[in-house]
Amino acid sequence: DLDPGTVDLLREHGMPVYYGDATRPALLHAAGCADAKLFVIATDSTTHSIRIAGAVRQHHPHVKIVSRAYDVRQAHILRGEGVDETVCDVNGGGRARGRASLIALGYDPYRAERAMKRFERHEGETQRMLFEALGDPTRTLQVARQRTADLGRLLEADSESEDTTRDSAWSTSAAIEAARD
């Protein structure tokens, strides 16, 4: 980390943390990157994330890299620079709001969570397909249209196949109510 306060705080809690720029090979070595299986980049700077990913990829090509990205555009940039997986800040908040919205509409929390997991799988595959089509506007549009239609069918099938108000799998209050009936 580049923030001395964060480093001190984490060290006070017994966490192994290093102060410095993760693009420096000496820091990567000191932190044990040579033996690592995974490197997680959590900086909010896309430029710095790209530089860190490049250093890790250059000096430790065996390491898988997961990086924070603000949005899908930044995720695509990072994937193009060798990052194996990205997690978008914007999408995470959107998914949490989606789950909360389903619950507000009467979905049981378990069913809402399952619906969000299905959406996440669909969205992950869509983003991989769009990344592969990057640079080809015609193919990008085809993928976007097809995946939008697929999502529509997925959501329609989901709403037709499940009673969203009767599953008490994760809801103790719903289970208690069901037991009383």
Side-chain angles (χ1 to χ4, degrees):
D1 201 299
L2 291 171
D3 180 354
T6 299
V7 170
D8 289 344
L9 179 65
L10 292 173
R11 283 182 180 160
E12 286 174 17
H13 288 86
M15 307 266 311
V17 62
Y18 295 85
Y19 173 77
D21 185 350
T23 64
R24 293 182 30 238
L27 181 66
L28 293 173
H29 176 72
C33 201
D35 298 322
K37 294 179 183 175
L38 177 69
F39 192 96
V40 178
I41 302 170
T43 181
D44 58 358
S45 165
T46 302
T47 303
H48 198 217
S49 296
I50 289 169
R51 290 187 14 240
I52 293 169
V56 172
R57 190 65 63 227
Q58 178 183 0
H59 299 286
H60 305 285
H62 68 282
V63 175
K64 296 282 185 193
I65 302 171
V66 174
S67 181
R68 172 186 184 190
Y70 175 73
D71 58 16
V72 171
R73 183 181 154 282
Q74 288 183 349
H76 284 203
I77 291 168
L78 291 164
R79 293 286 306 257
E81 295 294 329
V83 170
D84 295 294
E85 294 293 332
T86 57
V87 178
C88 297
D89 293 346
V90 172
N91 290 355
R95 290 182 185 132
R97 284 187 299 278
R99 182 180 182 280
S101 296
L102 291 174
I103 292 169
L105 289 172
Y107 274 60
D108 182 273
Y110 174 76
R111 298 247 186 208
E113 184 66 23
R114 282 184 42 198
M116 293 313 303
K117 292 295 181 190
R118 280 191 295 275
F119 175 79
E120 286 175 6
R121 283 190 301 272
H122 180 273
E123 182 65 13
E125 180 63 24
T126 299
Q127 290 308 317
R128 280 187 285 285
M129 293 171 74
L130 287 170
F131 178 74
E132 291 168 4
L134 208 59
D136 180 347
T138 302
R139 179 71 186 129
T140 299
L141 186 57
Q142 289 172 339
V143 168
R145 284 182 178 157
Q146 181 60 50
R147 295 304 288 176
T148 299
D150 292 346
L151 180 59
R153 286 190 290 277
L154 178 71
L155 294 173
E156 187 175 306
D158 183 52
S159 67
E160 290 174 0
S161 69
E162 297 181 5
D163 174 2
T164 61
T165 62
R166 294 295 298 164
D167 189 352
S168 60
W170 284 5
S171 173
T172 54
S173 60
I176 292 169
E177 288 298 318
R180 289 183 185 157
D181 290 343

